[in-house]
Amino acid sequence: MRKLLLWIVLLPVLLVLLLQAYFFVQIWWWVDHNPGSTSFMRQQLSLLREKDPNAQLQFTWVPYNRISNNLKRAIIASEDSNFSEHDGVDWEALQKAYEKNEKKGRVVAGGSTITQQLAKNLFLSGERSYLRKAQEFVITYMLETLMDKQRIFEIYLNVVEWGNGVFGAEAAARHYYRTTAAGLGAEQAARLAVMLPRPRFYDKNRGSGYLAARTGLILRRMNAATLPAAHN
């Protein structure tokens, strides 16, 4: 009976540790190998294929130096202004988001960093729970430990969702502007950055007044954005 109870306690712990080991090894592999897809991409493809069995994602990987600096600066200005300085989690931004949500009585701000968003997209589901958030923190620190900021940003830029079935900077540039990720101008980049929190919505509502106003704000902030170096 005592051995049975011991296994009941130890087995879940062992499974959790094995899962963390899987995440760690996968991230280590991605230090110098590009992901072909992410958990979130596979989820979205599955949903698209429920309506169209032949559906495919728009996704083309491009290296970091073939993505416009306009887009890099716009995303940092819009999503994570302290990206180059924090260790994966911006605790001050999280506190501000919490206070803002409490004041509004609903979730209006997230406070997640670029690294946290990447952690979620690479491995996790879209469900909201404390357990999933805890796992997100663990993966975030794995990413920051094994990769430099530039590599984290390169992967993020290539796998983030930008519309219905549209993933990555190259696909987004072609989908919205018929250009390449390298050829994005400042205003185009700012607009794409603003779309990120709700890409499928803005894909269908491109004339949104908020989208236009926020684009102007990000344009004014872009020059102050600090791009990450190749090494921490």
Side-chain angles (χ1 to χ4, degrees):
M1 190 67 180
R2 187 177 296 175
K3 285 185 178 180
L4 179 62
L5 289 172
L6 187 63
W7 272 109
I8 289 172
V9 172
L10 286 181
L11 189 58
V13 173
L14 181 61
L15 290 173
V16 168
L17 290 175
L18 285 172
L19 182 62
Q20 306 316 305
Y22 164 75
F23 290 150
F24 188 89
V25 170
Q26 186 70 80
I27 292 167
W28 172 78
W29 177 256
W30 285 334
V31 169
D32 50 16
H33 294 78
N34 300 329
S37 67
T38 68
S39 174
F40 187 70
M41 290 168 70
R42 291 187 290 273
Q43 290 169 33
Q44 292 306 305
L45 181 58
S46 178
L47 290 173
L48 289 173
R49 285 183 172 172
E50 287 178 6
K51 297 179 180 179
D52 177 6
N54 298 315
Q56 297 291 333
L57 300 180
Q58 297 178 54
F59 168 65
T60 302
W61 184 280
V62 288
Y64 188 79
N65 60 7
R66 282 175 48 198
I67 300 174
S68 167
N69 281 347
N70 288 320
L71 185 61
K72 297 167 189 171
R73 293 184 191 281
I75 289 173
I76 289 173
S78 182
E79 292 289 296
D80 187 0
S81 59
N82 296 319
F83 176 62
S84 295
E85 284 77 45
H86 62 62
D87 61 357
V89 178
D90 190 336
W91 296 103
E92 185 178 340
L94 279 177
Q95 179 63 29
K96 287 180 180 177
Y98 173 78
E99 292 171 358
K100 193 172 185 179
N101 294 337
E102 284 289 299
K103 187 176 180 180
K104 294 286 186 179
R106 57 191 174 90
V107 178
V108 294
S112 291
T113 64
I114 284 171
T115 315
Q116 285 177 269
Q117 292 176 45
L118 179 59
K120 181 176 66 176
N121 287 349
L122 285 173
F123 294 111
L124 305 175
S125 70
E127 69 168 320
R128 292 177 180 269
S129 71
Y130 289 116
L131 190 62
R132 192 204 63 79
K133 197 68 176 176
Q135 181 64 83
E136 179 188 301
F137 283 141
V138 172
I139 296 170
T140 294
Y141 284 116
M142 287 183 188
L143 286 164
E144 291 276 344
T145 299
L146 291 171
M147 296 180 181
D148 61 41
K149 289 283 188 178
Q150 194 175 104
R151 179 56 175 167
I152 290 170
F153 201 26
E154 179 182 31
I155 296 176
Y156 175 90
L157 288 163
N158 273 286
V159 303
V160 70
E161 183 187 33
W162 248 302
N164 197 30
V166 181
F167 287 86
E170 184 73 11
R174 294 182 183 279
H175 181 69
Y176 292 104
Y177 298 113
R178 297 174 185 258
T179 187
T180 63
L184 289 166
E187 187 171 354
Q188 293 171 331
R191 192 174 181 85
L192 286 176
V194 174
M195 294 176 70
L196 282 178
R198 302 177 68 195
R200 275 166 278 159
F201 173 82
Y202 289 123
D203 193 358
K204 295 178 181 177
N205 298 274
R206 302 186 192 186
S208 161
Y210 172 82
L211 185 59
R214 177 77 176 169
T215 296
L217 177 63
I218 296 306
L219 265 172
R220 294 190 292 273
R221 291 180 178 175
M222 280 168 56
N223 288 337
T226 302
L227 295 184
H231 301 284
N232 286 325

